[in-house]
Protein backbone atom coordinates (compact mmCIF):
# COMPACT_ATOMS: atom_id res chain seq x y z
CA UNK A 1 0.00 0.00 0.00
CA UNK A 2 2.74 2.54 0.84
CA UNK A 3 4.36 1.79 -2.53
CA UNK A 4 1.43 3.60 -4.20
CA UNK A 5 1.95 6.59 -1.89
CA UNK A 6 5.70 6.49 -2.58
CA UNK A 7 5.09 6.52 -6.33
CA UNK A 8 2.72 9.45 -5.93
CA UNK A 9 5.30 11.29 -3.82
CA UNK A 10 7.94 10.73 -6.51
CA UNK A 11 5.61 12.13 -9.18
CA UNK A 12 4.97 15.15 -6.92
CA UNK A 13 8.76 15.63 -6.62
CA UNK A 14 8.69 15.24 -2.85
CA UNK A 15 12.35 14.36 -2.60
CA UNK A 16 14.35 12.74 0.17
CA UNK A 17 11.57 12.40 2.73
CA UNK A 18 9.74 9.99 0.41
CA UNK A 19 12.34 7.36 1.38
CA UNK A 20 10.46 6.70 4.62
CA UNK A 21 7.33 5.88 2.64
CA UNK A 22 9.39 3.59 0.40
CA UNK A 23 10.76 1.78 3.46
CA UNK A 24 7.25 1.46 4.90
CA UNK A 25 6.19 -0.32 1.72
CA UNK A 26 9.36 -2.17 0.82
CA UNK A 27 9.83 -4.17 4.01
CA UNK A 28 6.31 -5.68 4.01
CA UNK A 29 6.76 -6.43 0.31
CA UNK A 30 10.00 -8.29 1.09
CA UNK A 31 8.28 -10.28 3.86
CA UNK A 32 5.40 -11.07 1.49
CA UNK A 33 7.83 -12.25 -1.18
CA UNK A 34 9.81 -14.38 1.27
CA UNK A 35 6.59 -15.97 2.52
CA UNK A 36 6.35 -17.84 -0.80
CA UNK A 37 9.68 -19.55 -0.10
CA UNK A 38 8.52 -20.86 3.30
CA UNK A 39 6.88 -24.18 2.43
CA UNK A 40 5.30 -24.47 5.89
CA UNK A 41 3.96 -20.93 5.86
CA UNK A 42 0.48 -19.96 4.84
CA UNK A 43 -1.76 -16.95 4.66
CA UNK A 44 -5.39 -16.46 3.85
CA UNK A 45 -6.95 -13.41 2.24
CA UNK A 46 -9.77 -11.83 4.19
CA UNK A 47 -12.35 -9.23 3.23
CA UNK A 48 -10.06 -6.65 4.85
CA UNK A 49 -7.27 -7.65 2.45
CA UNK A 50 -9.61 -7.30 -0.51
CA UNK A 51 -10.81 -3.92 0.81
CA UNK A 52 -7.25 -2.64 1.14
CA UNK A 53 -6.45 -3.91 -2.34
CA UNK A 54 -9.53 -2.15 -3.68
CA UNK A 55 -8.50 1.11 -2.00
CA UNK A 56 -5.00 0.79 -3.47
CA UNK A 57 -6.46 0.37 -6.95
CA UNK A 58 -8.85 3.27 -6.29
CA UNK A 59 -5.84 5.38 -5.28
CA UNK A 60 -4.13 4.59 -8.58
CA UNK A 61 -7.32 5.30 -10.57
CA UNK A 62 -7.90 8.61 -8.73
CA UNK A 63 -4.30 9.60 -9.40
CA UNK A 64 -4.55 8.72 -13.11
CA UNK A 65 -7.91 10.45 -13.62
CA UNK A 66 -7.15 13.62 -11.68
CA UNK A 67 -3.37 13.79 -12.16
CA UNK A 68 -3.16 14.84 -8.49
CA UNK A 69 -0.83 12.69 -6.41
CA UNK A 70 -2.54 13.89 -3.24
CA UNK A 71 -5.60 11.72 -3.93
CA UNK A 72 -3.45 8.61 -4.25
CA UNK A 73 -1.60 9.47 -1.05
CA UNK A 74 -4.78 10.05 0.97
CA UNK A 75 -6.42 6.84 -0.27
CA UNK A 76 -3.17 4.98 0.49
CA UNK A 77 -3.28 6.30 4.04
CA UNK A 78 -6.87 5.05 4.45
CA UNK A 79 -5.92 1.65 3.02
CA UNK A 80 -2.82 1.38 5.21
CA UNK A 81 -4.79 2.38 8.32
CA UNK A 82 -7.31 -0.37 7.59
CA UNK A 83 -4.45 -2.82 7.07
CA UNK A 84 -2.92 -1.76 10.40
CA UNK A 85 -6.16 -2.35 12.31
CA UNK A 86 -5.57 -6.09 12.88
CA UNK A 87 -2.07 -5.37 14.21
CA UNK A 88 -3.51 -2.75 16.57
CA UNK A 89 -6.15 -5.20 17.79
CA UNK A 90 -3.51 -7.88 18.34
CA UNK A 91 -1.27 -5.39 20.16
CA UNK A 92 -4.19 -4.40 22.38
CA UNK A 93 -5.17 -7.96 23.28
CA UNK A 94 -1.70 -9.53 23.32
CA UNK A 95 0.93 -6.79 23.68
CA UNK A 96 3.66 -9.37 24.29
CA UNK A 97 3.22 -10.60 20.70
CA UNK A 98 4.75 -7.39 19.34
CA UNK A 99 8.07 -5.66 19.94
CA UNK A 100 7.51 -2.03 20.99
CA UNK A 101 11.02 -1.06 19.87
CA UNK A 102 9.93 -1.56 16.26
CA UNK A 103 7.20 1.04 16.62
CA UNK A 104 9.38 3.39 18.65
CA UNK A 105 12.00 3.35 15.88
CA UNK A 106 9.30 3.96 13.27
CA UNK A 107 7.99 6.92 15.29
CA UNK A 108 11.50 8.38 15.60
CA UNK A 109 11.98 7.92 11.85
CA UNK A 110 8.72 9.78 11.25
CA UNK A 111 9.78 12.66 13.48
CA UNK A 112 13.10 12.95 11.63
CA UNK A 113 11.27 12.85 8.30
CA UNK A 114 8.85 15.55 9.42
CA UNK A 115 11.78 17.71 10.56
CA UNK A 116 13.10 17.82 7.00
CA UNK A 117 9.77 18.54 5.31
CA UNK A 118 10.28 21.60 3.14
CA UNK A 119 6.72 22.08 1.99
CA UNK A 120 3.74 21.36 4.24
CA UNK A 121 1.23 19.84 1.86
CA UNK A 122 -0.37 16.42 1.41
CA UNK A 123 2.36 15.11 -0.88
CA UNK A 124 5.18 16.05 1.48
CA UNK A 125 3.74 15.63 4.97
CA UNK A 126 0.63 13.43 5.00
CA UNK A 127 2.20 9.97 4.90
CA UNK A 128 5.00 10.69 7.41
CA UNK A 129 2.40 12.28 9.72
CA UNK A 130 0.19 9.23 9.41
CA UNK A 131 3.16 6.92 10.07
CA UNK A 132 3.99 8.91 13.21
CA UNK A 133 0.44 8.57 14.54
CA UNK A 134 0.11 4.84 13.79
CA UNK A 135 3.61 4.10 15.12
CA UNK A 136 2.91 5.92 18.38
CA UNK A 137 -0.43 4.14 18.74
CA UNK A 138 1.18 0.73 18.24
CA UNK A 139 4.06 1.66 20.56
CA UNK A 140 1.66 2.64 23.35
CA UNK A 141 -0.38 -0.54 22.86
CA UNK A 142 2.69 -2.79 22.95
CA UNK A 143 4.72 -1.05 25.65
CA UNK A 144 1.99 -1.83 28.20
CA UNK A 145 3.56 -5.25 28.70
CA UNK A 146 6.57 -3.56 30.32
CA UNK A 147 4.75 -1.00 32.44
CA UNK A 148 2.76 -3.47 34.51
CA UNK A 149 5.76 -4.14 36.78
CA UNK A 150 6.43 -2.14 39.94
CA UNK A 151 9.70 -0.81 38.57
CA UNK A 152 8.02 0.82 35.57
CA UNK A 153 9.43 1.02 32.09
CA UNK A 154 12.97 -0.31 31.65
CA UNK A 155 14.36 1.04 28.38
CA UNK A 156 17.00 -1.69 28.10
CA UNK A 157 14.34 -4.38 28.40
CA UNK A 158 12.25 -2.58 25.81
CA UNK A 159 15.05 -2.60 23.25
CA UNK A 160 15.85 -6.31 23.56
CA UNK A 161 14.74 -8.38 20.56
Amino acid sequence: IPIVAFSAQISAEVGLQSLQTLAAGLFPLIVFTISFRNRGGYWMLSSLDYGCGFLSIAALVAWILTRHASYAIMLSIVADALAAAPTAMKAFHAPQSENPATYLCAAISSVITLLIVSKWDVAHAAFPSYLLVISLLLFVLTVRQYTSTKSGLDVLTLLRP
Side-chain angles (χ1 to χ4, degrees):
I1 297 169
I3 297 295
V4 173
F6 170 72
S7 300
Q9 286 176 325
I10 293 300
S11 81
E13 299 177 355
V14 166
L16 190 59
Q17 65 257 29
S18 64
L19 291 177
Q20 184 193 24
T21 308
L22 173 63
L26 195 57
F27 294 122
L29 184 61
I30 290 169
V31 170
F32 174 74
T33 304
I34 290 172
S35 74
F36 287 105
R37 297 196 46 105
N38 181 359
R39 299 195 192 283
Y42 71 94
W43 43 271
M44 295 175 14
L45 294 176
S46 68
S47 56
L48 178 64
D49 297 313
Y50 289 115
C52 291
F54 172 78
L55 282 173
S56 296
I57 292 169
L60 290 172
V61 169
W63 181 18
I64 290 167
L65 293 178
T66 66
R67 300 191 194 281
H68 289 286
S70 298
Y71 293 118
I73 292 168
M74 294 307 291
L75 285 170
S76 294
I77 289 171
V78 171
D80 197 75
L82 287 172
T87 303
M89 296 288 285
K90 183 174 133 192
F92 178 77
H93 292 292
Q96 69 283 358
S97 68
E98 298 288 329
N99 185 345
T102 303
Y103 304 113
L104 180 60
C105 289
I108 291 169
S109 171
S110 297
V111 169
I112 292 169
T113 300
L114 289 169
L115 287 173
I116 66 168
V117 168
S118 58
K119 184 177 178 185
W120 288 90
D121 62 3
V122 170
H124 289 77
F127 214 86
S129 298
Y130 157 72
L131 288 175
L132 176 61
V133 170
I134 197 69
S135 298
L136 288 174
L137 171 68
L138 292 168
F139 173 74
V140 168
L141 290 173
T142 57
V143 79
R144 295 177 304 124
Q145 65 184 305
Y146 298 102
T147 59
S148 61
T149 64
K150 291 181 183 177
S151 62
L153 181 62
D154 176 10
V155 176
L156 294 176
T157 303
L158 174 67
L159 295 177
R160 279 192 208 124

